[in-house]
Amino acid sequence: MSNVDATPTTVLFEHPLNEKMRTWLRLEFLLQHIFDSPPLATISNTLPFFRTLSDLLDVLERGEIRTDMLKELERQQQKMRQWEGVPGVDTERVLTVRDELKQCASILMSAPRLGQALREDRLIAAVRQRLSIPGGCCSFDLPSLHIWLHLPQSSRDSQKNEWLVTLLPLHNTLILLLGMVRNSGQFKQQISLNGFFQDNADEGELLRMRIPLEHQLYPQVSGHKTRYAIRFLSLDSEKGVPPNRLSFELACC
């Protein structure tokens, strides 16, 4: 059987249009790395896990993340109520989504302070204190981590799972809310002229762009929730030039 080239033809870029969405996308990025991390078997794959965990706790210290999420869950529930009974609408699906939102809000509201269990963990705290020091996590600096890495793999797996369980209310809420935001906007074909495009955001929170990979371009977005501009830049800053007319797909969510 011949090999099939799985190289994508387009690249998806996302850009937040407000501070709340910027924080949520960063949290999603960190949580994906944490939940997809391999078993903590060696120092080489354990340190990236703890570093990402530390970054997550730093982000959680900023702003009212739980409050913003609860407000958004309530806002989405109100939207679902407005769709109930509307002719042509799948009422069963609307009720299912509303129940998911309600259950998610209940779990998030009753959960302890986000990240608190991880902040209080002695091993995590010890590693976080040394991460900013170059080479500060070697065995003589962190003997507690050194001995932990020599425990049976099953013990380390169990400990890691306990840490991840404390993040599930945040993780599940984020998946649900970002999924609804992304599904709220439809991709439309657009044309940029000489590497530039601008439009009104109509109170949007997130821009999503599908750009052909063949041109090796990436977007530089400026603006806010009412108006934005996109400049397409070449990966090869010295020789690359964006085409005069670039066809790409854009969704404002």
Side-chain angles (χ1 to χ4, degrees):
M1 183 181 294
S2 59
N3 292 329
V4 177
D5 187 359
T7 302
T9 58
T10 62
V11 180
L12 175 65
F13 292 90
E14 294 185 327
H15 186 85
L17 293 175
N18 56 39
E19 189 60 33
K20 179 190 76 176
M21 188 55 57
R22 184 174 288 107
T23 299
W24 287 8
L25 290 179
R26 285 174 177 158
L27 286 173
E28 179 190 46
F29 172 80
L30 294 169
L31 286 167
Q32 283 177 345
H33 280 270
I34 289 170
F35 277 85
D36 292 343
S37 62
L40 307 182
T42 65
I43 191 68
S44 61
N45 63 23
T46 297
L47 275 187
F49 174 82
F50 279 109
R51 192 175 297 279
T52 307
L53 208 58
S54 181
D55 288 347
L56 177 72
L57 294 177
D58 287 343
V59 174
L60 290 176
E61 290 289 348
R62 308 169 193 168
E64 297 294 330
I65 294 173
R66 191 211 301 255
T67 301
D68 287 342
M69 287 184 168
L70 289 172
K71 287 180 180 177
E72 184 63 22
L73 287 167
E74 177 57 32
R75 190 173 75 87
Q76 293 293 345
Q77 287 185 68
Q78 292 175 0
K79 277 188 176 181
M80 293 299 106
R81 294 189 191 101
Q82 294 172 1
W83 283 107
E84 288 181 30
V86 175
V89 172
D90 187 345
T91 302
E92 184 176 348
R93 175 58 182 161
V94 170
L95 292 175
T96 299
V97 173
R98 198 186 74 179
D99 288 342
E100 289 178 5
L101 291 163
K102 185 176 181 180
Q103 182 179 11
C104 203
S106 176
I107 293 173
L108 184 63
M109 190 178 299
S110 61
R113 183 186 175 198
L114 297 178
Q116 188 59 33
L118 301 179
R119 292 186 193 92
E120 295 175 352
D121 187 278
R122 295 178 65 181
L123 180 60
I124 293 175
V127 176
R128 289 187 76 196
Q129 289 177 354
R130 310 297 303 183
L131 284 173
S132 61
I133 303 172
C137 294
C138 60
S139 60
F140 70 85
D141 276 313
L142 270 176
S144 57
L145 178 61
H146 187 63
I147 186 63
W148 187 79
L149 285 169
H150 284 78
L151 297 178
Q153 184 65 52
S154 58
S155 297
R156 296 197 301 276
D157 290 343
S158 178
Q159 179 67 75
K160 178 186 175 184
N161 289 335
E162 289 179 16
W163 291 332
L164 296 186
V165 164
T166 68
L167 294 172
L168 283 177
L170 171 66
H171 186 240
N172 294 340
T173 301
L174 207 55
I175 289 174
L176 180 60
L177 289 179
L178 285 177
M180 297 190 77
V181 170
R182 287 170 173 136
N183 289 329
S184 69
Q186 293 185 341
F187 281 100
K188 298 179 181 178
Q189 204 73 30
Q190 303 288 358
I191 300 290
S192 79
L193 301 177
N194 298 315
F196 185 78
F197 180 87
Q198 64 179 352
D199 200 0
N200 296 321
D202 297 326
E203 298 297 318
E205 295 189 295
L206 178 68
L207 291 181
R208 311 186 76 210
M209 296 152 278
R210 287 186 185 140
I211 302 173
L213 178 60
E214 60 179 306
H215 302 297
Q216 297 187 25
L217 301 173
Y218 62 92
Q220 186 178 73
V221 182
S222 59
H224 47 78
K225 63 181 180 180
T226 58
R227 190 164 181 79
Y228 61 89
I230 306 172
R231 187 169 296 280
F232 294 91
L233 303 176
S234 175
L235 185 60
D236 186 344
S237 58
E238 295 183 0
K239 300 179 181 178
V241 178
N244 292 334
R245 293 175 61 86
L246 172 69
S247 177
F248 70 103
E249 292 180 89
L250 175 70
C252 186
C253 308

